[in-house]
């Protein structure tokens, strides 16, 4: 489903979308190259290895995700869809720290060196997924500036929410959220989705929000390659917690992937298939997919918003992201509009300190003026028509002696 056009947003043209899809969707298998069949212009899609979100937990001796030998040749569709070239003229998230909870982040990874602080073992990213997401949030693109993240001026606080092989743990996530709160991170991005609610995690998320953090979480676990036809809809956590911005993945057409796990309560959709970023080893690129990828891009957008509008509360920042999104069944992230939209006076004063709903700039006065102008035009048009009718009809009526005209011929004396 293609969303309708709106001011401040830019959709890909058919030709641009075809070009963007030369960088194509990958499955979550590590280091396996994937390419799309020939596109409309006859060109074959570029092959990049897929970035897994987890490794086989039973293969403890298996190697970590290897370095990619391939480098992306062009900007992928997700960066075009989010209009990052234009966004970065207004802000880069400078001064904001994003706490990323996942498999860890390699501090010396290409495009991230000097801007990552890793807590404990979070600096060892065997899976590579956390480093991939960090590049989407705050990477500078390394030698490829057009592959920079959404907030290339932000800093990353890497926190572990999984084991070494990528298996999520409620206890680890709760502890990581508390660490992010103590570090006063402006945005907390949680890349994992748990099937059951956990009391300690619920408490940690509530404390993070009270402390002033924008909390963003993947709406569902990432795809595993197994079928989802028989999986009933369910809520995943902490995305289901009150005040947490739940983000799902979408395809270029604006719909969720066929293999996406069903869930409710999604607040926002963002690009989550065929997205390019780097890894913890080497300077090559990978393709990633899933709700965690979408959540990372939403977290980057939140960082740019926080830097551009430092007085706004976490609730207002979250509402800004959803209120300015592309209108669709699930609102689609529009990072540029989120940063540049002018909010109403109430949000600029008292509402910035509360998690109240945000309304965009009041245009009712403009609408009323437009209505009055339209009314004047209609009345003027009616007056002109009345004069023309009189000039035509009165002489004819006088010639008939003011008797009504008869069908089929002139009036008789």
């Amino acid at each position: 489903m293609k969303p309708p056009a709106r001011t401040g947003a830019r959709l890909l043209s058919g030709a641009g979308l075809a070009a963007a899809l030369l960088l194509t969707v990958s499955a979550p298998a590590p280091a396996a190259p994937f390419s799309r069949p020939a596109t409309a212009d006859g060109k074959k899609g570029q092959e990049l290895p897929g970035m897994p979100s987890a490794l086989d937990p039973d293969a403890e001796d298996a190697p970590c995700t290897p370095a990619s030998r391939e480098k992306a040749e062009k900007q992928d569709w997700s960066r075009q869809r989010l209009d990052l070239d234009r966004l970065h003229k207004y802000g880069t998230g400078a001064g904001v720290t994003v706490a990323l909870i996942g498999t860890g982040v390699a501090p010396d990874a290409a495009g991230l060196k000097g801007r990552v602080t890793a807590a404990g073992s979070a600096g060892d990213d065997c899976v590579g997924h956390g480093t991939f997401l960090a590049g989407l949030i705050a990477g500078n693109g390394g030698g490829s500036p057009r592959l920079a993240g959404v907030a290339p001026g932000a800093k990353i606080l890497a926190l572990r929410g999984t084991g070494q092989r990528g298996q999520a743990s409620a206890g680890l996530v709760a502890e990581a959220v508390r660490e992010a709160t103590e570090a006063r991170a402006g945005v907390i991005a949680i890349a994992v989705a748990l099937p059951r609610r956990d009391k300690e995690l619920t408490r940690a998320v509530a404390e993070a929000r009270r402390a002033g953090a924008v909390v963003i979480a993947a709406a569902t676990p990432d795809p595993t390659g197994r079928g989802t036809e028989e999986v009933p809809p369910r809520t995943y956590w902490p995305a289901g917690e009150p005040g947490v911005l739940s983000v799902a993945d979408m395809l270029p057409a604006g719909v969720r992937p066929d293999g996406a796990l069903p869930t409710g309560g999604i607040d926002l959709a963002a690009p989550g298939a065929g997205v390019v970023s780097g890894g913890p080893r080497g300077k090559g690129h990978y393709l990633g997919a899933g709700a965690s990828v979408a959540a990372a891009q939403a977290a980057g957008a939140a960082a740019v918003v926080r830097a551009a509008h430092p007085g706004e509360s976490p609730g207002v920042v979250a509402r800004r992201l959803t209120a300015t999104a592309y209108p669709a069944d699930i609102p689609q992230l529009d990072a540029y509009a989120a940063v540049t939209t002018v909010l109403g006076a109430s949000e600029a004063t008292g509402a910035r300190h509360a998690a109240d709903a945000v309304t965009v700039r009041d245009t009712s006065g403009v609408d009323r003026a437009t209505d009055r102008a339209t009314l004047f035009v209609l009345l003027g048009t009616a007056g002109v028509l009345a004069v023309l009718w009189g000039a035509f009809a009165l002489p004819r009526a006088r010639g008939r002696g003011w008797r009504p005209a008869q069908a089929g011929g002139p009036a008789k004396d």
Side-chain angles (χ1 to χ4, degrees), residues 100-105 122 125 129-130 133 158-163 166 176 189-192:
L100 175 58
I101 301 174
T103 66
V105 178
D125 185 13
H129 187 253
L133 298 182
L159 298 162
R160 185 171 290 285
T162 74
I190 304 173
V192 301

Side-chain angles (χ1 to χ4, degrees), residues 331-354:
Q332 299 167 13
L333 176 64
D334 182 348
Y336 176 79
V339 171
T340 59
T341 294
V342 178
L343 301 183
S346 61
E347 289 73 37
T349 55
R352 71 172 60 181
H353 301 295

Side-chain angles (χ1 to χ4, degrees), residues 99-402:
L100 175 58
I101 301 174
T103 66
V105 178
D108 294 330
L112 291 168
K113 190 172 183 179
R115 291 182 300 113
V116 176
T117 300
S121 64
D124 179 15
D125 185 13
C126 179
V127 178
H129 187 253
T131 306
F132 180 93
L133 298 182
L136 293 178
I137 296 171
N140 62 22
S144 305
R146 296 203 72 198
L147 291 175
V150 182
K155 294 185 177 180
I156 295 290
L157 171 60
L159 298 162
R160 185 171 290 285
T162 74
Q164 287 291 113
R165 311 290 291 178
Q167 280 63 49
S169 159
L172 287 175
V173 175
E175 181 180 355
V177 172
R178 285 192 289 266
E179 290 185 53
T181 303
E182 292 174 3
R184 304 197 65 80
V187 179
I188 301 176
I190 304 173
V192 301
L194 302 163
R196 287 178 294 278
R197 196 175 191 182
D198 179 82
K199 291 182 179 179
E200 288 300 315
L201 180 53
T202 298
R203 186 176 296 112
V205 167
E207 292 172 355
R209 294 191 64 248
R210 284 195 295 269
V214 177
V215 184
I216 296 174
T220 65
D222 285 342
T224 62
R226 295 187 293 270
T228 59
E229 294 81 2
E230 303 300 325
V231 177
R234 67 182 305 168
T235 299
Y236 293 90
W237 309 93
E241 296 291 350
V244 174
L245 195 68
S246 174
V247 185
D249 46 336
M250 73 176 188
L251 298 173
V255 297
R256 296 199 69 201
D258 290 340
L261 291 168
T263 189
I266 299 171
D267 297 306
L268 199 63
V275 177
V276 176
S277 188
R281 290 163 283 277
K283 297 182 179 180
H285 294 120
Y286 304 80
L287 289 174
S292 65
V293 171
Q297 295 181 100
V304 180
V305 169
R306 299 225 76 170
H309 306 280
E312 293 185 349
S313 71
V316 171
V317 172
R319 184 73 180 111
R320 178 186 278 275
L321 292 172
T322 57
T324 61
Y326 296 115
D329 291 343
I330 302 174
Q332 299 167 13
L333 176 64
D334 182 348
Y336 176 79
V339 171
T340 59
T341 294
V342 178
L343 301 183
S346 61
E347 289 73 37
T349 55
R352 71 172 60 181
H353 301 295
D356 296 333
V358 174
T359 56
V360 295
R361 178 171 52 87
D362 182 12
T363 60
S364 58
V366 177
D367 293 338
R368 286 193 294 270
T370 301
D371 292 342
R372 287 196 297 270
T374 302
L375 178 60
F376 292 152
V377 170
L378 291 176
L379 290 176
T381 301
V384 172
L385 291 175
V387 171
L388 293 175
W389 177 85
F392 172 78
L394 289 177
R396 294 174 62 86
R398 187 181 297 112
R400 294 195 304 269
W402 306 103

